[in-house]
């Protein structure tokens, strides 16, 4: 079917609100940095005012600090507002729902994160989420109406799958459960997508890794793919290079979570993640203070679209940093570095302190041709074991160099071992490159 016809059919089915949102995102991509910042500030002021007037949790918090909306006049005023922690959300779920929210129509989602403690949040039914995805896919040269394939933990089945297929037609999507990827299921999935020839593939890093291993092992090529979208975990550079070689197309990543659907995404230049400044406010904090540009810290985000269950200055539990660079793509959306670790993904030191996860996830970045996969594991006695899989004999040199680098950093504070062994970073389809029994 002609692409234009297929796209028009898809757009007609999704409805006017989604089409309007998609157009707004395209227009936002054309704004200057100053225009984006002005829009961001306007929307923050509006959200804070809404929280003050309609959300019981924030009404109490603002009262505690003597804050009123008229006090919000500068960035420093905004930075003085309380941080919303995950535990705050757990303990105040009902009080975070706006008085004006349509509770019957609110969408709910639950995440356990890396802690395993469930956290349920709600999103505003008036805000279509799909167009946020369209925006990013268009950057990558594909379209939401193109055939696609998904490697996710939860996939539609039964009547839900049938209704989804009918709604999407003539667009076709194929699925495989990321937590159940044995060789038989993978081969069936490959047979299916050979028939539908998806232009892009979406999946958890761990699940895509398992598929890539199967393709490499059996010499299978998927020439119809034009993009691979990795999600749910950091994408180490050595994995990106491995995936691009195996799938024969560009591999991209984005940043988001269950609580805040889309926060930032990379463009084809791959020079960092473009923050969606028109709908998100991203802060990087060290303690309660803003980190300097280029300095790593805790990621704190405000969702400027969710008025039903506002997340204002919400600490995600991730580590990141702002970049002081302009992207060659021409978009003025500000850049942040790739999120390479969570606050919980730290290696603890016996004398106190820690080495953050974002350091460990990059230790083999200079050796993508030698190292296929790795995982850093810390035991309760503080010893650290680095398990790795090798592409070739160059791994010997790579391990020696990384070992010397790490020994200089840790200065003998704990035992460090390298073990060449099969690595399984895939936990229910998701990926953990750094794990500590002390976290």
């Amino acid at each position: 079917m002609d692409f234009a016809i297929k796209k028009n059919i898809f757009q007609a089915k999704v409805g006017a609100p989604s089409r309007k949102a998609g157009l707004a995102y395209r227009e936002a991509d054309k704004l200057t940095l100053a225009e984006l910042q002005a829009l961001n500030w306007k929307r923050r002021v509006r959200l804070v005012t809404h929280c003050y007037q309609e959300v019981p949790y924030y009404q109490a918090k603002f009262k505690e600090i003597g804050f009123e909306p008229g006090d919000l006049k500068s960035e420093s005023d905004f930075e003085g507002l309380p941080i919303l922690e995950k535990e705050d959300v757990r303990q105040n779920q009902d009080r975070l729902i706006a008085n004006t929210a349509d509770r019957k129509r609110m969408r709910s989602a639950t995440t356990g994160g890396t802690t395993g403690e469930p956290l349920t949040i709600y999103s505003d039914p008036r805000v279509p989420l799909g167009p946020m995805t369209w925006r990013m896919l268009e950057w990558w040269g594909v379209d939401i109406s193109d055939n696609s394939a998904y490697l996710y933990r939860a996939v539609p089945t039964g009547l839900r799958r049938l209704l989804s297929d009918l709604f999407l037609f003539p667009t076709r999507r194929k699925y495989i459960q990321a937590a159940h990827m044995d060789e038989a299921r993978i081969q069936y999935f490959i047979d299916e997508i050979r028939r539908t020839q998806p232009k892009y593939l979406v999946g958890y890093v761990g699940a895509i890794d398992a598929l890539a291993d199967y393709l490499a092992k059996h010499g299978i090529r998927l020439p119809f793919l034009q993009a691979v979208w990795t999600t749910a975990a950091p994408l180490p550079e050595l994995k990106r290079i491995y995936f691009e070689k195996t799938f024969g197309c560009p591999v991209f990543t984005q940043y988001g979570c269950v609580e805040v659907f889309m926060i930032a995404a990379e463009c084809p230049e791959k020079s960092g993640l473009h923050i969606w400044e028109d709908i998100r406010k991203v802060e990087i904090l060290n303690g309660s203070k803003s980190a300097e540009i280029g300095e790593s810290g805790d990621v704190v985000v405000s969702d400027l679209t969710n008025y039903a269950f506002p997340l204002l200055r919400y600490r995600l539990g991730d580590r990141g940093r702002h970049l002081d660079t302009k992207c060659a793509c021409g978009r003025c959306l500000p850049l942040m570095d790739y999120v390479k670790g969570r606050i919980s993904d730290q290696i603890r030191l016996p004398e106190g302190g820690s080495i953050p996860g974002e350091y460990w996830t990059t230790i083999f970045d200079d050796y993508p041709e030698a190292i296929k996969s790795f995982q850093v594991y810390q035991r309760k006695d503080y010893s650290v074991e680095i398990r790795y899989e090798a592409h070739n004999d160059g791994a010997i040199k790579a391990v020696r160099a990384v070992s010397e680098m790490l020994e200089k950093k840790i200065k003998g504070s704990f035992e460090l071992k390298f073990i060449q062994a099969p690595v399984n970073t895939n936990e229910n389809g998701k990926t953990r490159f750094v794990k500590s029994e002390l976290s």
Side-chain angles (χ1 to χ4, degrees):
M1 180 178 292
D2 180 77
F3 169 71
I5 295 175
K6 191 175 181 181
K7 183 173 182 176
N8 288 337
I9 292 174
F10 187 94
Q11 291 290 326
K13 289 183 177 182
V14 297
S18 289
R19 291 195 297 273
K20 182 179 178 181
L23 179 60
Y25 294 139
R26 291 190 195 98
E27 292 302 312
D29 286 349
K30 302 174 185 177
L31 297 178
T32 65
L33 180 58
E35 289 170 334
L36 284 165
Q37 291 171 335
L39 177 62
N40 185 283
W41 176 255
K42 179 181 178 180
R43 288 180 171 173
R44 271 187 284 159
V45 171
R46 183 184 172 199
L47 178 65
V48 170
T49 302
H50 170 76
C51 289
Y52 179 86
Q53 295 174 342
E54 303 293 347
V55 186
Y57 174 82
Y58 292 110
Q59 288 173 337
K61 283 293 182 180
F62 291 167
K63 185 176 180 180
E64 286 178 13
I65 62 174
F67 173 83
E68 296 182 357
D71 299 330
L72 187 59
K73 299 175 181 177
S74 66
E75 289 291 346
S76 60
D77 296 330
F78 183 78
E79 292 166 4
L81 297 178
I83 298 293
L84 181 67
E85 306 287 359
K86 289 180 183 290
E87 190 59 30
D88 295 329
V89 178
R90 290 191 184 94
Q91 297 297 325
N92 299 277
Q93 187 181 82
D94 193 65
R95 296 175 67 236
L96 279 162
I97 299 174
N99 295 328
T100 53
D102 185 345
R103 292 181 177 234
K104 292 182 179 179
R105 293 183 59 229
M106 288 193 307
R107 299 177 294 249
S108 66
T110 301
T111 176
T114 56
T115 64
E117 297 181 60
L119 176 68
T120 299
I121 60 93
Y122 299 93
S123 57
D124 197 322
R126 296 167 297 183
V127 180
L129 301 180
M132 299 181 191
T133 299
W134 308 350
R135 177 187 206 173
M136 181 179 64
L137 292 175
E138 288 176 6
W139 292 359
W140 300 344
V142 292
D143 190 84
I144 190 65
S145 64
D146 290 327
N147 289 354
S148 54
Y150 287 75
L151 298 85
Y152 271 8
R153 183 169 49 189
V155 301
T157 57
L159 179 60
R160 183 182 167 210
R161 173 68 179 274
L162 176 62
L163 292 174
S164 174
D165 288 349
L166 289 172
F167 175 79
L168 290 170
F169 186 82
T171 296
R172 302 182 69 184
R173 290 180 181 172
K174 293 299 179 181
Y175 304 87
I176 184 172
Q177 285 191 316
H180 303 287
M181 293 185 61
D182 57 43
E183 291 208 345
R185 288 187 175 96
I186 292 175
Q187 184 58 57
Y188 179 79
F189 178 68
I190 292 171
D191 292 341
E192 287 285 286
I193 65 176
R194 276 175 164 162
R195 283 191 284 271
T196 59
Q197 299 202 351
K199 287 190 177 180
Y200 65 93
L201 179 75
V202 188
Y204 298 152
V205 172
I208 289 178
D209 197 20
L211 176 59
D213 284 349
Y214 186 87
L215 294 174
K217 176 181 177 181
H218 296 279
I220 299 172
R221 307 294 292 176
L222 305 175
F224 40 81
L225 283 177
Q226 296 180 15
V228 172
W229 165 11
T230 67
T231 185
L235 176 64
E237 194 59 24
L238 66 87
K239 283 296 181 186
R240 188 203 296 271
I241 293 171
Y242 173 54
F243 293 165
E244 290 187 338
K245 180 179 179 181
T246 305
F247 291 104
C249 67
V251 174
F252 300 101
T253 189
Q254 48 80 222
Y255 178 47
C257 57
V258 168
E259 301 97 304
V260 185
F261 180 56
M262 288 286 180
I263 299 171
E266 64 180 352
C267 69
E269 296 294 331
K270 301 178 185 175
S271 54
L273 298 167
H274 283 285
I275 299 170
W276 292 10
E277 188 80 356
D278 50 319
I279 57 173
R280 310 288 185 239
K281 172 61 180 177
V282 175
E283 302 173 77
I284 306 295
L285 302 184
N286 274 329
S288 60
K289 297 183 178 180
S290 294
E292 298 292 330
I293 298 295
E295 181 183 7
S296 294
D298 298 348
V299 178
V300 172
V301 65
S302 298
D303 181 347
L304 307 183
T305 66
N306 190 352
Y307 277 65
F309 192 82
L311 297 177
L312 182 65
R313 304 201 77 213
Y314 175 60
R315 195 192 309 269
L316 288 178
D318 294 330
R319 300 275 298 175
R321 63 174 184 153
H322 287 300
L323 298 178
D324 188 22
T325 54
K326 292 183 179 180
C327 186
C329 74
R331 296 178 184 87
C332 293
L333 295 164
L335 290 169
M336 64 183 292
D337 203 356
Y338 299 101
V339 176
K340 297 173 181 173
R342 298 185 60 82
I343 295 171
S344 59
D345 295 336
Q346 302 181 59
I347 298 300
R348 306 290 177 177
L349 302 176
E351 64 274 17
S354 61
I355 302 175
E358 63 262 32
Y359 175 84
W360 295 95
T361 56
T362 63
I363 57 176
F364 284 113
D365 274 5
D366 292 336
Y367 308 98
E369 300 301 324
I371 301 297
K372 175 180 175 292
S373 189
F374 73 96
Q375 186 176 59
V376 180
Y377 191 90
Q378 183 175 44
R379 302 192 181 280
K380 290 182 179 179
D381 63 0
Y382 290 94
S383 65
V384 170
E385 180 178 288
I386 300 178
R387 304 164 187 164
Y388 69 94
E389 291 184 48
H391 276 306
N392 50 50
D393 291 342
I396 298 173
K397 181 180 178 181
V399 168
R400 185 184 302 119
V402 171
S403 177
E404 292 175 356
M405 175 186 71
L406 291 176
E407 290 292 355
K408 290 179 182 178
K409 188 171 186 66
I410 66 176
K411 299 177 181 177
S413 59
F414 55 77
E415 182 183 4
L416 179 67
K417 294 190 296 184
F418 286 80
I419 299 176
Q420 184 171 354
V423 174
N424 181 20
T425 58
N426 189 345
E427 296 182 1
N428 292 323
K430 293 195 174 184
T431 305
R432 299 243 348 239
F433 291 104
V434 182
K435 298 177 67 175
S436 174
E437 294 179 359
L438 298 169
S439 293

